[in-house]
Amino acid sequence: MPSVAVVGTQWGDEGKGKIVDWLSEEADVVVRYQGGHNAGHTLVVEGVTYKLSLLPSGIVRPSAVSLIGNGVVIDPWAFLEEIERVQRQGVSITPERLRVAENCCLILPYHGELDRAREGNKKGGGIGTTGRGIGPAYEDKVARRAIRLCDLSDSEVLAERLDIALDHHNSLRSALDLALIDKDVMVEELMKIAPRLLPHQDSVWQILHRSRMKGERILFEGAQGAMLDIDHGTYPYVTSSNTLAGSISSGCGIDPKALDYVLGISKAYSTRVGNGPFPTELLDDIGQAIGERGKEFGTVTGRKRRCGWFDAVMLRQVVQMSGVDGIALTKLDVLDELSEIKICVGYELEGKAIRCLPSSAKLQALVTPICETLAGWKSSTEGVRSLEQLPDEALRYVKRIEELISAPVTILSTGPDRKDTIVIRDPFSSTAH
């Protein structure tokens, strides 16, 4: 049976949650493999809105097992609060339905405090992080001083690990005029919640291996977007993990050959939250109108998203880097009222045309878009559920995107409900490749 990955191809907020939720009807296992609770997925299921951060979107599907891989960093208090909140909405979340990699690294209170202190102290403004400690937690992971979920099984081991972590963090906190962390208090707080966390811990890589051997359908759910990748995104205005499809193997311990289909998710226009370059950004009434019609506010932070035209140059770059087999194009209906729609087909940098986004942050900021203009359709596509119902101009817009990014649009989303979906090719079908 095929394994499918759903990855963001822009700067996040592309509508991955809805697509993962829709695909999870066919999946036996749904896996998160990177990021933390800086991710945000909004699902609308039979009129009920679910806002998820750490939990895989498949959690609302009773038939699917949800896994959180070792590439995810977990704030244990935020994790438990999210479980309780979603349970209050009638979703059953048991250790049998939700398994968490025992080697997941934890986000502790001092990570968030450090994150916020750094953002506030940076000259010229911060990067625009969510302030939730994701970056500092990944720093500890790479520096080999992180506390992992399995460490909560033994208070003596936990105390030893905290000695190493706090030797570093208390030095930083002293320099930042923050109160020092009391190790004994931290051990006590973690051991207090350990009985609620540990029933969920497991060897996720072994679960996935067994699932593959049984021929089960596995769905991998990415967080953030490709242009926030720590290596290949608009550095330094990026997240702290790898967001491309290649990070799936290391993020949950599955054989890289196990991945059969990569579905890239893209809005029919572009958005990003926080600071950083944005070649097609619209700072006019059109950008404002797109943001209002698309309800462009962050699921996690509530921050207003910056809006711009569809960037085919950037998306073609991501298609090549992530091995995207097909695109799910979301929020097509947001463009319904525009008489003209532009697509970025190239960049200009210092008087020369270029065909990819440079790595240098300085050069990225100097890039200007080369756009072509298409006619709008000036009619409603909201809730449309077949290609035959789409206006000709909307079909031409989709076709032009396919030509420019060298990948087919296999799914179209025309509204927030999971039923507002046009399926041209099902990624789980045997004809996907």
Side-chain angles (χ1 to χ4, degrees):
M1 292 294 182
S3 296
V4 174
V6 173
V7 297
T9 59
Q10 296 165 310
W11 283 288
D13 309 308
E14 301 96 345
K16 295 182 292 295
K18 174 192 167 177
I19 301 300
V20 170
D21 172 53
W22 175 78
L23 285 170
S24 64
E25 277 190 311
E26 303 180 67
D28 300 298
V29 181
V30 182
V31 193
R32 267 285 303 275
Y33 57 87
Q34 52 79 217
H37 64 312
N38 54 340
H41 298 318
T42 301
L43 312 180
V44 180
V45 183
E46 296 180 357
V48 180
T49 300
Y50 301 93
K51 293 184 180 293
L52 307 178
S53 292
L54 272 170
L55 296 177
S57 296
I59 198 69
V60 301
R61 294 286 186 184
S63 59
V65 172
S66 290
L67 304 179
I68 296 178
N70 55 274
V72 178
V73 286
I74 291 182
D75 179 321
W77 292 274
F79 175 69
L80 293 172
E81 188 280 328
E82 186 174 341
I83 288 176
E84 291 173 355
R85 174 167 47 80
V86 176
Q87 282 180 323
R88 287 196 296 270
Q89 293 184 278
V91 177
S92 172
I93 303 176
T94 64
E96 290 72 32
R97 291 200 61 227
L98 175 64
R99 310 303 290 163
V100 182
E102 58 194 358
N103 49 340
C104 270
C105 295
L106 302 183
I107 303 172
L108 299 180
Y110 51 77
H111 292 125
E113 291 169 2
L114 177 59
D115 198 356
R116 294 185 291 273
R118 283 174 170 173
E119 280 287 290
N121 287 347
K122 281 176 181 169
K123 295 179 181 178
I127 288 172
T129 76
T130 59
R132 299 191 169 202
I134 280 78
Y138 275 117
E139 288 176 37
D140 278 6
K141 177 179 180 176
V142 174
R144 300 178 293 274
R145 57 174 172 261
I147 308 302
R148 303 195 297 175
L149 180 59
C150 57
D151 295 331
L152 303 190
S153 301
D154 188 320
S155 60
E156 291 184 7
V157 169
L158 176 60
E160 291 172 2
R161 297 298 305 158
L162 277 169
D163 276 333
I164 297 168
L166 294 182
D167 182 59
H168 170 79
H169 279 278
N170 278 335
S171 296
L172 285 179
R173 294 175 71 86
S174 179
L176 291 166
D177 292 325
L178 296 173
L180 301 187
I181 301 294
D182 186 311
K183 183 193 73 174
D184 293 335
V185 171
M186 184 59 63
V187 169
E188 183 180 351
E189 290 178 355
L190 286 168
M191 294 309 295
K192 190 183 302 182
I193 62 171
R196 298 168 63 195
L197 294 166
L198 294 177
H200 293 279
Q201 79 165 344
D202 211 325
S203 176
V204 162
W205 73 268
Q206 291 192 75
I207 295 175
L208 288 171
H209 178 73
R210 291 194 295 268
S211 294
R212 283 194 67 209
M213 294 301 100
K214 289 190 290 184
E216 293 181 333
R217 294 184 172 191
I218 305 172
L219 181 60
F220 298 94
E221 176 183 6
Q224 290 88 38
M227 296 313 292
L228 293 175
D229 186 276
I230 186 69
D231 288 304
H232 300 285
T234 48
Y235 191 91
Y237 301 98
V238 292
T239 194
S240 299
S241 60
N242 288 108
T243 60
L244 298 180
S247 63
I248 292 173
S249 179
S250 59
C252 57
I254 196 165
D255 180 349
K257 298 188 294 294
L259 195 60
D260 297 297
Y261 193 94
V262 178
L263 180 67
I265 315 298
S266 171
K267 282 177 184 167
Y269 50 96
S270 301
T271 64
R272 83 171 296 172
V273 173
N275 301 329
F278 188 174
T280 66
E281 184 173 13
L282 291 166
L283 300 173
D284 56 11
D285 292 342
I286 296 176
Q288 179 75 14
I290 289 173
E292 290 175 358
R293 184 169 170 79
K295 298 180 176 61
E296 296 297 352
F297 297 92
T299 300
V300 171
T301 63
R303 290 183 294 179
K304 185 177 179 180
R305 297 176 187 139
R306 302 152 63 191
C307 298
W309 296 122
F310 186 89
D311 191 335
V313 184
M314 186 178 77
L315 205 73
R316 183 175 62 242
Q317 193 168 324
V318 173
V319 165
Q320 294 170 0
M321 290 190 295
S322 255
V324 172
D325 294 292
I327 291 289
L329 196 66
T330 66
K331 292 198 168 185
L332 184 68
D333 55 301
V334 172
L335 304 179
D336 284 350
E337 298 178 359
L338 300 179
S339 56
E340 290 185 342
I341 301 171
K342 294 184 179 182
I343 300 179
C344 174
V345 298
Y347 299 137
E348 184 176 305
L349 177 62
E350 298 176 335
K352 296 180 180 179
I354 59 174
R355 289 178 57 80
C356 67
L357 196 64
S359 295
S360 163
K362 180 180 178 180
L363 296 181
Q364 287 173 356
L366 295 175
V367 159
T368 56
I370 300 170
C371 293
E372 67 179 40
T373 302
L374 283 73
W377 41 94
K378 295 291 288 182
S379 60
S380 177
T381 62
E382 185 174 357
V384 168
R385 297 177 186 177
S386 72
L387 287 177
E388 291 74 19
Q389 293 177 294
L390 287 177
D392 289 343
E393 293 83 0
L395 286 170
R396 279 195 285 270
Y397 181 68
V398 173
K399 183 64 177 176
R400 186 59 179 142
I401 285 174
E402 291 181 322
E403 293 169 351
L404 291 167
I405 67 174
S406 299
V409 172
T410 56
I411 296 172
L412 275 170
S413 172
T414 58
D417 194 277
R418 63 168 63 150
K419 296 177 182 178
D420 298 335
T421 307
I422 301 172
V423 183
I424 303 165
R425 176 174 290 179
D426 184 344
F428 271 124
S429 73
S430 59
T431 59
H433 274 299

